[in-house]
Amino acid sequence: QRRLHILQSTNSLPATTAMAMDLDEPLAAEKGEVALQQLRRADPSVYLSPSADLAAAARAALKHFHSSLAVVSPVQPPPLPNLLAGPNFDAEQIWSQSELLSRPLLPHLHRQLRRLEHQPPAQPLATPPPSKPSEAVEGPSDEEEDGEGDESEEEDEGGLEDTDDELESEEGEDEETEELGAKKGNGVEDRFLKMKDLEKFMEEGEEQEYGGGSKGGEKKKASVNLMEDDSDEEDVDEDDGGDDEDDDLDLEDFESDDEEGVGKSGGDIRYEDFFEESSKQQVKKRNGFTKKVHFKDELHEMEVDDIEKDDVNDGPALEDEQGLSTHEKGLLKMRNQIDLMEKASLEPSKWIMQGEVDASRRPKNSALEVDLDFEHNVRPAPVITEEVTASLEEMIKKRIAEGHFDDVEKPSTLPYKVPKQQKEMDENKSKKGLAEQYEDEFKEKTGIAPATLAISDELKNEANDLFKRICLKLDALSHFHFAPKPVIEDMSIQVNIPALAMEEVAPVAVSDAAMLAPEEVFEGKGDIKEDVELTQAERKRRRANKKRRYAESHKERPAKLRKENSSNI
Amino acid sequence: MLRRNTRLRREYLYRKSLEGKERQHYEKKRRVREALEEGKPIPTELRNEELALRREIDLDDQDRAVPRSIIDDEYAGATLREPKILLTTSRNPSAPLTQFVKELKVVFPNSQRMNRGGQVISEIVESCRSHEITDLILVHEHRGQPDGLIVCHLPLGPTAYFGLLNVVTRHDIKDRKAMGKMSEAYPHLILDNFTTKTGERTANIMKHLFPVPKPESKRLITFANRDDYISFRHHIYEKHGGPKSIDLKEVGPRFELRLYQIKRGTVDQSEAQNEFVLRPYMNTAKKQKSLGV
């Protein structure tokens, strides 16, 4: 706004100066410088109010800027080589002109700045980094030296530190080699690794492989470098070379390199060209933590950038942690995991995984903490709910209503022993005389007469008699139809002795009829024969009968033996 | 005393050995009897022995008709005498356990409670035998909750081991006054769903803890087997006249019993044979119903 302000105020800029500026470059440059100085020296308060001098100075300065930038612009020839900043031109117009030039230039310059940040200069800077336009001015001079396009310019601008040795200017190289020579020893050397020895070995190897003129070194690096070289030389603004870096390791590349060269002959290619990165990396490391981060960003940038191919070979080649690709990082992680798992398998496993474990084999109370899961084969204990109680009570009520209890039963009243016979004392005078009683006892003792029934109850007998009499009468009612005469058991002793032996009290008429009948004396059938009198047949018959009777009575005998007997017969 | 015991034991073993033969004999008689009753021809294998069997059948009276298993021989004479029970606990009982045992004393008629003190089990059993006690009941606990019941029938009797669950004592119920006094008449018994042999054996053991009640007694004790868990309930019932209404009032403790062992000997005979042992860790434990349907 201030600028606008200033510009607007200037109306009285002489036309001559404008013309002069167009034609005479060095003069204009001088004037521009002067104008700049003037602007700088002016008091800030002066800027508050419009002044013609300042306005003129501003325009001159702007013209100078524009012309100097026009040289550096990426698009050549620039669309507007000189700023038309005459007094007639509005602030707006001048602004748009400068923007036309500066707009494409800005990102370019941003990149250069960033590169400067990342790569601090190896050489001590003789002069403080000049302002961009002045650098741009110096740029063309270097360009001519290297005979390259804008890239070398960038590199110079970006700083004197380059990852790619071949693209550097020889001046830089010389200085760097001196520096690196000092630093190499510190960073890389060990008691095992001596740089000089390594160099010697490498040279020998190279001589063997390729004959004189060391070209070798790390193939990868070489190819990468070579590819870049090619691309650089062929296409200034294209990004093909950068992408092909790792894929093609053809000898063609080596040859091409050999032919075209980078501005050096074959034999001038040195270890430093390939291996300088290691020392540089060390240097970078020393400069602080931030470098690592920046380096990664650079890698990203590389993919995006068309022009920058310098940092490509750094990434995959180096074995630092910073330098791993995503794939390699993943591999490393997996490796770590695998190591962990292997360690775990080698150790004795936790007690949970050990099958049957006693209390002695596991730590105290550890079974309480673990969530053990096993099938419970037992039915769970019943929970007494309302429903359960209700169902029980229902069943109970039903039983009460039926009167069906499971009480202990009273024992059965079957006598275990025969009840003792209680003899009633008969108060009446006994009918039998004393002598008769003694007779009865004697008979019992001697066994002539069987003992009478113990239970000889007179009442019972009387009742029996009466009952039989009644039955007889009833049968008479039915005309004695198939009614046998009831047997009135009258126990009287029939002794087979002649009546004369009896006592006088016997009845008047004595007869044999009261005595035992012959069949009562003797039981048997037909002709009783002694064994002597028997015929053969009769003897056989007797034997057969006997056997039959025997067989019947001994039926427990096993069937086999019985059969044998029968078969024998 | 010792000789008598040994003689009894020998008799017992002899009868056990005879049991098989007797049972066969009984079976034969039964078959013949059935055939005769139904008018069917007698089975051919019994033809030879048929006559002898028939005579025996005629001589059989009611008592001998059913074969007596020696298993329940211990209770053969039980019905003649009233049961006499001694209740005691494990050593150093807690207060809730002593309360529970007091309640049980009221539940079982003809029972006595004894402090355990430091007595050994064999001592207790000997003294019980000498005092003609028929049953000894031990109650065990876990942290105040009664959790075990051992019923031992005394002269050589079987021992049943129960676990107690879901115990609700009369002391727990706050409103005790409302329950009123408990009748001390001999109670009626209900034993529900004891269908297997083990079930019937258990039922027998529990039945003979109680004496013969009067028919009009209003007190009722229930042992209901549901799923191998025996529920003990104690009620007093009232039958109001006409409309078949029965009032049940629960009285006394309620608990679930779980039978886990029946031994053929007394408590102190640890080497006695097991009639029944609970096996809860078998794979088919869920399916087994050892006491009833």
Side-chain angles (χ1 to χ4, degrees):
Chain A
Q1 274 176 358
R2 206 180 280 170
R3 238 188 286 165
L4 271 174
H5 190 69
I6 295 165
L7 287 171
Q8 274 168 357
S9 61
T10 58
N11 290 317
S12 58
L13 199 66
T16 49
T17 47
M19 297 277 280
M21 273 169 68
D22 292 334
L23 297 171
D24 199 359
E25 260 200 25
L27 187 60
E30 256 186 49
K31 276 201 171 177
E33 292 275 312
V34 167
L36 268 173
Q37 291 297 321
Q38 193 186 355
L39 282 169
R40 276 178 66 194
R41 267 187 264 112
D43 200 23
S45 53
V46 184
Y47 283 95
L48 289 172
S49 52
S51 93
D53 289 337
L54 282 179
R59 281 175 199 255
L62 277 172
K63 270 193 179 171
H64 170 63
F65 275 139
H66 188 97
S67 52
S68 53
L69 277 177
V71 183
V72 199
S73 107
V75 184
Q76 293 290 341
L80 206 64
N82 294 316
L83 186 70
L84 306 165
N88 311 326
F89 284 91
D90 206 2
E92 194 62 47
Q93 289 162 336
I94 296 173
W95 178 243
S96 55
Q97 283 176 53
S98 59
E99 216 177 339
L100 190 65
L101 182 64
S102 64
R103 185 155 279 192
L105 200 54
L106 271 173
H108 184 73
L109 291 173
H110 278 308
R111 269 182 253 129
Q112 292 299 319
L113 258 180
R114 253 180 272 151
R115 209 206 290 161
L116 243 189
E117 285 173 9
H118 298 330
Q119 304 167 17
Q123 287 176 335
L125 296 166
T127 53
S131 58
K132 289 174 204 172
S134 50
E135 271 190 24
V137 170
E138 290 170 5
S141 58
D142 282 342
E143 238 186 280
E144 285 155 29
E145 277 189 27
D146 290 339
E148 285 186 349
D150 293 337
E151 300 206 23
S152 56
E153 222 178 27
E154 296 164 19
E155 281 137 39
D156 285 340
E157 286 181 4
L160 304 159
E161 267 285 298
D162 259 347
T163 52
D164 194 7
D165 302 324
E166 289 179 15
L167 300 174
E168 257 184 68
S169 58
E170 284 183 333
E171 311 162 347
E173 260 189 58
D174 294 339
E175 292 182 11
E176 281 176 23
T177 44
E178 284 173 16
E179 237 192 42
L180 286 168
K183 287 190 182 175
K184 249 189 246 180
N186 297 344
V188 183
E189 280 209 351
D190 241 334
R191 32 194 192 120
F192 300 114
L193 179 65
K194 308 275 177 200
M195 274 314 179
K196 289 180 189 162
D197 292 341
L198 183 60
E199 277 176 20
K200 249 193 241 170
F201 176 79
M202 292 299 275
E203 278 172 9
E204 284 167 25
E206 282 159 8
E207 276 171 18
Q208 274 180 9
E209 267 202 77
Y210 308 113
S214 51
K215 276 184 264 172
E218 272 191 65
K219 275 192 187 174
K220 215 180 177 188
K221 286 199 179 166
S223 68
V224 166
N225 294 336
L226 295 171
M227 289 308 294
E228 283 189 24
D229 273 340
D230 289 342
S231 59
D232 288 342
E233 280 150 11
E234 290 162 3
D235 305 309
V236 173
D237 292 340
E238 288 174 23
D239 59 342
D240 303 331
D243 296 347
D244 295 341
E245 63 214 29
D246 290 336
D247 298 339
D248 306 337
L249 297 175
D250 302 330
L251 281 176
E252 298 164 36
D253 299 330
F254 286 98
E255 286 165 27
S256 64
D257 183 38
D258 194 19
E259 288 161 24
E260 290 169 354
V262 191
K264 311 167 193 170
S265 57
D268 284 344
I269 300 169
R270 292 172 177 275
Y271 168 80
E272 305 96 60
D273 306 340
F274 298 97
F275 290 108
E276 201 178 335
E277 299 85 62
S278 58
S279 56
K280 277 192 210 158
Q281 277 302 312
Q282 309 264 329
V283 172
K284 283 179 199 170
K285 263 191 194 172
R286 269 180 240 126
N287 284 337
F289 178 73
T290 51
K291 296 304 164 196
K292 290 183 191 173
V293 175
H294 291 307
F295 192 67
K296 278 180 204 162
D297 290 342
E298 270 198 334
L299 284 174
H300 280 295
E301 269 186 286
M302 175 200 62
E303 289 146 26
V304 175
D305 258 347
D306 298 347
I307 301 161
E308 281 193 6
K309 296 156 207 164
D310 306 326
D311 307 323
V312 163
N313 39 348
D314 277 75
L318 292 168
E319 282 290 316
D320 283 337
E321 276 175 15
Q322 313 170 13
L324 291 177
S325 68
T326 40
H327 173 66
E328 289 205 350
K329 275 184 235 157
L331 280 177
L332 203 70
K333 232 192 247 177
M334 241 195 343
R335 187 73 229 156
N336 286 338
Q337 257 192 338
I338 291 169
D339 284 337
L340 277 172
M341 285 170 72
E342 280 177 359
K343 215 190 278 179
S345 331
L346 285 172
E347 282 170 4
S349 45
K350 216 176 158 199
W351 68 267
I352 293 171
M353 305 302 284
Q354 274 181 10
E356 282 193 22
V357 174
D358 271 344
S360 51
R361 285 181 207 286
R362 54 180 165 84
K364 199 172 175 188
N365 286 338
S366 54
L368 293 172
E369 291 142 21
V370 171
D371 190 16
L372 295 171
D373 183 24
F374 50 87
E375 254 190 54
H376 296 264
N377 279 328
V378 191
R379 279 192 296 266
V383 178
I384 303 301
T385 56
E386 290 277 337
E387 297 141 9
V388 174
T389 321
S391 71
L392 277 176
E393 291 198 348
E394 236 184 77
M395 181 268 291
I396 292 169
K397 282 183 188 172
K398 202 170 120 208
R399 287 281 206 108
I400 295 171
E402 293 167 11
H404 173 43
F405 301 119
D406 296 305
D407 305 329
V408 184
E409 302 284 311
K410 267 208 156 66
S412 54
T413 49
L414 273 182
Y416 283 92
K417 293 184 204 166
V418 178
K420 271 189 188 165
Q421 276 124 41
Q422 284 154 356
K423 288 182 186 164
E424 276 179 21
M425 288 300 288
D426 208 3
E427 267 125 58
N428 299 337
K429 191 179 158 191
S430 87
K431 292 227 173 76
K432 277 185 178 177
L434 196 62
E436 279 178 19
Q437 276 184 4
Y438 288 155
E439 210 183 86
D440 286 338
E441 277 178 29
F442 175 74
K443 281 172 193 167
E444 275 181 42
K445 234 198 246 175
T446 52
I448 296 166
T452 54
L453 277 171
I455 308 173
S456 55
D457 206 357
E458 255 197 40
L459 282 169
K460 271 194 191 168
N461 286 343
E462 215 183 292
N464 271 340
D465 281 336
L466 284 169
F467 180 65
K468 275 170 184 164
R469 291 225 159 84
I470 290 167
C471 283
L472 177 65
K473 282 191 181 152
L474 287 170
D475 287 337
L477 280 174
S478 65
H479 302 293
F480 289 101
H481 200 70
F482 193 65
K485 196 160 185 200
V487 176
I488 296 168
E489 286 161 21
D490 195 10
M491 286 280 295
S492 67
I493 303 163
Q494 288 273 4
V495 184
N496 199 13
I497 46 171
L500 285 171
M502 292 215 191
E503 286 185 27
E504 298 83 42
V505 192
V508 174
V510 176
S511 65
D512 285 353
M515 279 192 258
L516 290 170
E519 56 265 22
E520 289 171 270
V521 175
F522 168 75
E523 206 179 285
K525 285 196 252 186
D527 236 354
I528 306 300
K529 277 189 179 174
E530 292 284 307
D531 288 339
V532 194
E533 299 164 353
L534 289 175
T535 60
Q536 190 71 357
E538 281 183 353
R539 224 173 274 154
K540 276 194 178 170
R541 205 180 293 130
R542 277 201 190 181
R543 185 170 162 70
N545 283 339
K546 190 171 152 194
K547 280 176 82 178
R548 212 178 293 125
R549 263 181 275 127
Y550 185 76
E552 242 186 59
S553 68
H554 292 270
K555 268 197 186 153
E556 293 92 71
R557 268 192 161 204
K560 197 172 79 172
L561 282 171
R562 223 182 291 145
K563 276 186 190 164
E564 275 180 17
N565 289 341
S566 56
S567 65
N568 283 345
I569 292 166
Chain B
M1 184 71 176
L2 205 66
R3 266 204 235 151
R4 180 158 148 259
N5 282 340
T6 45
R7 175 176 54 84
L8 287 172
R9 228 167 265 154
R10 223 179 278 141
E11 274 180 24
Y12 168 76
L13 287 170
Y14 175 67
R15 259 184 288 138
K16 192 169 145 190
S17 68
L18 285 181
E19 188 179 301
K21 260 200 215 172
E22 275 192 29
R23 192 157 276 278
Q24 272 183 22
H25 193 65
Y26 166 73
E27 274 298 301
K28 283 186 196 164
K29 277 202 278 184
R30 190 184 59 83
R31 286 166 71 191
V32 168
R33 207 186 314 138
E34 272 176 24
L36 287 171
E37 278 168 20
E38 290 169 20
K40 284 191 183 167
I42 295 163
T44 49
E45 56 268 19
L46 298 172
R47 238 186 302 161
N48 291 327
E49 304 147 350
E50 178 252 324
L51 193 61
L53 287 173
R54 201 140 31 110
R55 265 194 231 125
E56 280 189 44
I57 288 167
D58 288 337
L59 294 170
D60 263 353
D61 58 358
Q62 290 295 89
D63 215 14
R64 298 276 172 263
V66 180
R68 289 178 57 219
S69 163
I70 51 139
I71 299 284
D72 274 335
D73 265 352
E74 298 106 336
Y75 292 104
T79 51
L80 297 173
R81 297 181 299 161
E82 275 198 358
K84 214 167 143 190
I85 299 176
L86 182 70
L87 282 160
T88 187
T89 65
S90 50
R91 291 199 190 183
N92 296 330
S94 62
L97 183 67
T98 44
Q99 281 173 4
F100 182 64
V101 174
K102 280 185 194 162
E103 285 175 27
L104 284 184
K105 181 178 168 308
V106 181
V107 165
F108 295 109
N110 274 342
S111 59
Q112 273 298 310
R113 188 190 73 84
M114 185 179 79
N115 285 333
R116 177 65 187 271
Q119 295 159 2
V120 188
I121 290 266
S122 47
E123 281 176 24
I124 300 175
V125 170
E126 280 305 311
S127 64
C128 285
R129 276 213 197 100
S130 56
H131 289 285
E132 289 199 353
I133 289 175
T134 59
D135 290 276
L136 170 68
I137 298 184
L138 293 158
V139 188
H140 290 245
E141 64 156 344
H142 171 68
R143 292 177 71 94
Q145 287 292 332
D147 77 338
L149 192 80
I150 304 175
V151 178
C152 173
H153 188 69
L154 266 166
L156 319 168
T159 315
Y161 296 78
F162 297 96
L164 292 176
L165 307 156
N166 298 339
V167 178
V168 176
T169 60
R170 274 164 62 100
H171 284 78
D172 290 346
I173 301 165
K174 297 294 178 188
D175 202 8
R176 230 184 306 156
K177 305 288 183 178
M179 286 202 324
K181 283 200 174 231
M182 203 173 79
S183 149
E184 299 230 359
Y186 292 174
H188 283 291
L189 286 179
I190 291 180
L191 297 160
D192 185 45
N193 197 17
F194 288 92
T195 47
T196 64
K197 273 187 87 181
T198 317
E200 292 192 7
R201 179 73 158 147
T202 321
N204 230 337
I205 291 171
M206 291 193 292
K207 191 152 80 163
H208 288 283
L209 290 171
F210 297 91
V212 182
K214 285 195 202 147
E216 63 269 10
S217 161
K218 293 291 174 205
R219 202 170 142 207
L220 176 65
I221 288 182
T222 312
F223 292 93
N225 172 32
R226 300 273 177 272
D227 214 18
D228 275 1
Y229 286 91
I230 305 169
S231 304
F232 172 93
R233 297 286 183 273
H234 187 191
H235 293 277
I236 291 187
Y237 70 89
E238 267 181 28
K239 263 187 177 173
H240 301 294
K244 280 264 180 169
S245 65
I246 297 165
D247 239 354
L248 277 181
K249 195 168 83 162
E250 182 154 358
V251 136
R254 81 151 62 157
F255 44 86
E256 315 297 312
L257 295 154
R258 191 167 180 221
L259 177 72
Y260 65 85
Q261 199 176 54
I262 300 181
K263 261 189 158 46
R264 278 252 175 108
T266 53
V267 191
D268 55 344
Q269 292 171 335
S270 55
E271 68 285 347
Q273 187 190 15
N274 277 332
E275 264 186 52
F276 166 76
V277 174
L278 177 73
R279 301 257 179 236
Y281 295 109
M282 269 169 65
N283 282 340
T284 52
K286 259 186 273 196
K287 297 185 214 168
Q288 286 181 351
K289 306 224 177 182
S290 42
L291 287 181
V293 166

